[in-house]
Amino acid sequence: MKKVINAPQNVVSEMLQGMVLAFPEYVRKIDSADVIVRAKPKTGKVALISGGGSGHEPSHAGFVGCGMLDAGVCGAVFTSPTPDAVFEAIKAVKTDEGVLLIIKNYTGDVMNFEMAMEMAEAEGIKVDKVVIDDDVAVQNSTWTVGRRGIAGTVLLHKIAGAKAETGASLADVKAVAEKVVANVRSMGMALTPCIIPEAGKPGFELAENEMEVGLGIHGEPGVRRDTIKPADAIVDELMAKIMADMPVDGQEVAVMVNGLGSTPLMELFIVNKRVNEILTGKGVKIYKTFVGEYMTAIEMAGFSISVLKLDAELKTLLDAQADTPAYKS
Amino acid sequence: MKKVINAPQNVVSEMLQGMVLAFPEYVRKIDSADVIVRAKPKTGKVALISGGGSGHEPSHAGFVGCGMLDAGVCGAVFTSPTPDAVFEAIKAVKTDEGVLLIIKNYTGDVMNFEMAMEMAEAEGIKVDKVVIDDDVAVQNSTWTVGRRGIAGTVLLHKIAGAKAETGASLADVKAVAEKVVANVRSMGMALTPCIIPEAGKPGFELAENEMEVGLGIHGEPGVRRDTIKPADAIVDELMAKIMADMPVDGQEVAVMVNGLGSTPLMELFIVNKRVNEILTGKGVKIYKTFVGEYMTAIEMAGFSISVLKLDAELKTLLDAQADTPAYKS
């Protein structure tokens, strides 16, 4: 295991310290749990909380800030945060307008965030949730009943965050969040596994000439294992699956080409070239493109593509100001 | 070689197409060379041009935009752009106020940018240069006479870019650029090599338990090869070398913890924690911290630390607005 770390059991704690020290004007950690909140809390708006296992940085804590999240709950690597940690986050950022939990669809995350929701409701806190399941690769996986939530989650953070910042009601923020969930699809692939620090070895193996199509962000199995194909052929397959699930012909969309950790920008841009060709070939107008690392799997090599169908409201919210450590617009 | 590419010989061309398609509101490619320029050129200011071999993305083309560069010249992977390409960039963005070339100190880059400068001067174009050599690891290397230019270059882009945007004269922009060069020091380390697509195999080998301290961004040898140490011990060594070269006790600085390609944000934050502890322990005030991938070596695992001593002018310029694909402030 080649990593720049001190002790495997301390990676999350030291990462969060290093993050807060880097961006004190943006974020702080609460004392009672591994929860990152805004340095300058904002009231008079719905509070947005997301989170999950660590290892997906900059998701989610990197998106805490104006126009996106109010809190990011950080579990152990690839491990759902406890209900207690999520409840601490809720208590830390709750407002009179309410709290919306943004949950990626993994069995552990959904269970623990829902338990925290019940704990909060028992204390009279107004709280609701939205579950995102954008990954079209597989219907069920090792870690999930139903589809998984992957990089489309970041587009959800951006749009729901912008809506919340306008002072919209909890019902209205939830409605736009559900509109994003209904209109975003993603799919990924990987060339290499990644290593959970405390495990010390890869969760699976891929031969030098192999790739895994449709793999999840924790290394869960995908659609199939295959020999490595040229970038264009890989993109063609992922886009075909995305567009079969959600036809986009003649529509307007946002595109996210997301690196999983060790895939260079060079390759992500080569992927984006093909994504752009495919979509424009179908009369799709690409309103905005994101290329970079948004939802990673530690140092996994690979990428995902997300496509979000837009309407006038979503475009406005996508463009709205955001100022967070990992995303500014 | 596990890469998401089509043909090795096309990576730069396809990358630039994918980049322009992703950010058409920011950048375009000129027809005559692999040069990225602002989509909305700005006159009435000194034009800043940087560049070098490709493989360091987002450097340099990702920093083309308001408040940073006017053009990024993109050579083949790890290969200096030709004098003709640099000359095309100069012709594309030249203004009456003049052109400043920002050159990383590698023998090929310096030679080719200087030849382009002579070609431009022969046509009556006002042009000057600054050479950055922030890497304190080694005095001379395979590719360089004198110190190498590495991630400190991005801080130079930011500050000189902000100065140029104010409408300052060529002499004044050059003066502030030289102030940055005089006050920035960097050093890196690597855990793995990277693979130039057309070579198809790593330029060097590191054993599973080995790291290279002081390695360059093209894989040039560093200070020494050693067994992997804990993050804190590695940071201690790099910071000792940086601070021995440029004492910073009691000063105010900016810090950049730069990933070389496949080192996750998790590890970069762990590094930043230690950098912060060391500096604050010496009474240094950290004005601003950058953590992320700014100057990469394709998919190399490793990182560099840069420290920039600040004064009032540099702080103002560091904070000034920038709006580019890869950096916004």
Side-chain angles (χ1 to χ4, degrees):
Chain A
M1 176 173 64
K2 302 194 95 168
K3 288 184 187 289
V4 182
I5 62 174
N6 291 301
Q9 66 275 21
N10 295 340
V11 293
V12 174
S13 154
E14 294 185 1
M15 165 180 76
L16 295 180
Q17 290 177 67
M19 184 189 174
V20 169
L21 289 168
F23 307 116
E25 70 280 28
Y26 285 101
V27 290
R28 67 178 182 85
K29 183 187 160 302
I30 66 172
D31 293 333
S32 55
D34 284 343
V35 173
I36 297 293
V37 299
R38 296 190 193 188
K40 296 171 195 139
K42 188 168 173 187
T43 54
K45 66 178 277 295
V46 171
L48 292 193
I49 300 175
S50 193
S54 291
H56 305 302
E57 291 71 30
S59 288
H60 300 270
F63 301 114
V64 170
C66 181
M68 294 184 80
L69 301 177
D70 294 274
V73 194
C74 308
V77 177
F78 291 176
T79 302
S80 177
T82 63
D84 283 342
V86 179
F87 184 40
E88 292 300 319
I90 294 172
K91 287 189 289 186
V93 302
K94 70 184 164 69
T95 64
D96 293 343
E97 288 71 21
V99 175
L100 184 67
L101 305 180
I102 298 177
I103 312 168
K104 298 196 300 302
N105 192 39
Y106 296 98
T107 307
D109 283 353
V110 173
M111 189 172 68
N112 290 356
F113 276 76
E114 284 182 348
M115 283 177 65
M117 207 169 135
E118 287 168 21
M119 293 156 81
E121 284 167 339
E123 294 208 0
I125 300 169
K126 191 165 140 191
V127 55
D128 209 337
K129 64 165 183 181
V130 60
V131 178
I132 177 160
D133 58 349
D134 52 315
D135 186 356
V136 302
V138 290
Q139 193 47 237
N140 298 299
S141 80
T142 330
W143 297 29
T144 335
V145 177
R147 286 175 169 179
R148 304 174 289 216
I150 56 172
T153 309
V154 179
L155 297 169
L156 175 52
H157 293 345
K158 173 68 192 77
I159 287 173
K163 185 74 178 181
E165 215 74 36
T166 66
S169 70
L170 181 56
D172 285 349
V173 177
K174 181 176 174 167
V176 85
E178 290 189 326
K179 195 202 279 187
V180 173
V181 173
N183 286 286
V184 66
R185 298 291 186 280
S186 304
M187 187 164 161
M189 63 79 67
L191 292 176
T192 70
C194 60
I195 298 177
I196 298 175
E198 290 209 64
K201 58 181 187 188
F204 62 100
E205 303 277 352
L206 280 171
E208 178 57 28
N209 66 341
E210 277 184 329
M211 64 175 180
E212 176 97 16
V213 177
L215 182 121
I217 54 174
H218 314 93
E220 313 96 291
V223 177
R224 68 168 204 287
R225 198 162 283 196
D226 201 346
T227 52
I228 298 179
K229 299 277 189 300
D232 286 358
I234 299 169
V235 173
D236 289 354
E237 177 175 354
L238 301 189
M239 286 298 292
K241 193 111 198 237
I242 288 171
M243 295 185 302
D245 197 84
M246 182 182 72
V248 291
D249 301 53
Q251 304 272 328
E252 195 159 10
V253 303
V255 168
M256 174 174 278
V257 177
N258 170 62
L260 291 179
S262 64
T263 293
L265 265 178
M266 174 182 284
E267 297 173 33
L268 299 181
F269 283 131
I270 291 171
V271 166
N272 182 58
K273 170 178 177 286
R274 187 62 170 187
V275 172
N276 195 289
E277 287 167 357
I278 291 169
L279 288 172
T280 52
K282 289 187 168 288
V284 174
K285 185 170 172 207
I286 300 170
Y287 182 72
K288 193 173 177 73
T289 303
F290 300 77
V291 180
E293 293 181 348
Y294 296 92
M295 177 75 73
T296 62
I298 319 178
E299 75 283 9
M300 191 180 286
F303 68 95
S304 64
I305 301 167
S306 300
V307 178
L308 169 65
K309 273 201 300 187
L310 296 170
D311 62 12
E313 180 187 33
L314 296 186
K315 286 198 283 185
T316 302
L317 295 170
L318 200 59
D319 286 342
Q321 202 234 337
D323 191 19
T324 75
Y327 186 74
K328 293 175 176 64
S329 69
Chain B
M1 176 174 64
K2 301 193 95 167
K3 288 183 187 290
V4 182
I5 61 173
N6 290 301
Q9 66 275 19
N10 295 340
V11 293
V12 173
S13 154
E14 293 185 2
M15 165 180 76
L16 295 180
Q17 290 176 68
M19 184 188 173
V20 169
L21 288 168
F23 307 116
E25 71 280 27
Y26 285 99
V27 290
R28 67 178 181 83
K29 183 187 160 301
I30 66 172
D31 293 334
S32 55
D34 284 343
V35 172
I36 297 293
V37 299
R38 296 190 193 187
K40 296 169 196 140
K42 187 167 172 189
T43 54
K45 66 179 277 292
V46 170
L48 292 193
I49 300 175
S50 192
S54 291
H56 305 303
E57 292 70 30
S59 286
H60 301 271
F63 301 114
V64 170
C66 182
M68 292 185 81
L69 302 177
D70 294 275
V73 194
C74 308
V77 177
F78 291 177
T79 303
S80 177
T82 62
D84 282 342
V86 179
F87 184 40
E88 291 300 319
I90 294 172
K91 286 189 288 184
V93 302
K94 69 184 164 68
T95 63
D96 292 344
E97 288 70 22
V99 175
L100 184 67
L101 306 180
I102 298 177
I103 312 169
K104 297 198 301 302
N105 192 38
Y106 296 97
T107 307
D109 283 352
V110 173
M111 188 171 69
N112 291 356
F113 276 76
E114 285 182 347
M115 283 178 64
M117 208 170 133
E118 287 168 20
M119 292 157 80
E121 284 168 339
E123 293 207 0
I125 300 171
K126 191 165 139 190
V127 56
D128 208 337
K129 64 165 184 182
V130 60
V131 178
I132 177 159
D133 57 351
D134 53 314
D135 185 355
V136 302
V138 291
Q139 193 47 237
N140 299 298
S141 80
T142 330
W143 297 30
T144 335
V145 177
R147 288 176 169 178
R148 303 173 290 215
I150 58 172
T153 309
V154 179
L155 297 169
L156 175 53
H157 293 345
K158 173 68 192 76
I159 287 173
K163 185 75 178 179
E165 215 74 37
T166 67
S169 70
L170 181 56
D172 286 348
V173 177
K174 180 176 174 166
V176 85
E178 290 188 327
K179 195 201 281 186
V180 173
V181 173
N183 287 287
V184 66
R185 298 291 187 280
S186 305
M187 187 162 160
M189 63 79 66
L191 292 176
T192 70
C194 61
I195 299 177
I196 298 175
E198 290 209 65
K201 58 179 189 191
F204 62 101
E205 302 278 352
L206 281 171
E208 179 57 28
N209 66 342
E210 278 184 328
M211 63 176 181
E212 176 97 15
V213 177
L215 183 120
I217 53 174
H218 313 93
E220 314 95 293
V223 177
R224 67 166 204 287
R225 197 162 284 195
D226 201 347
T227 53
I228 297 179
K229 299 276 190 297
D232 286 358
I234 299 170
V235 173
D236 289 354
E237 177 174 354
L238 302 189
M239 286 299 292
K241 193 111 199 234
I242 287 171
M243 295 185 303
D245 198 84
M246 182 181 73
V248 291
D249 301 53
Q251 305 272 328
E252 195 159 12
V253 304
V255 168
M256 175 175 278
V257 177
N258 170 62
L260 291 178
S262 63
T263 293
L265 264 178
M266 173 182 284
E267 297 174 33
L268 300 181
F269 282 130
I270 291 171
V271 166
N272 183 58
K273 171 178 176 287
R274 186 64 169 186
V275 172
N276 194 289
E277 286 166 358
I278 292 169
L279 288 172
T280 52
K282 289 186 168 290
V284 175
K285 185 170 173 208
I286 300 170
Y287 182 72
K288 195 174 175 71
T289 303
F290 300 77
V291 180
E293 293 182 348
Y294 296 92
M295 177 74 73
T296 61
I298 319 179
E299 74 282 11
M300 191 180 285
F303 68 95
S304 64
I305 301 168
S306 301
V307 178
L308 169 65
K309 272 200 301 187
L310 295 171
D311 63 12
E313 180 187 33
L314 296 186
K315 286 198 284 185
T316 302
L317 295 170
L318 200 58
D319 287 342
Q321 202 233 338
D323 190 20
T324 75
Y327 186 74
K328 293 176 176 65
S329 69

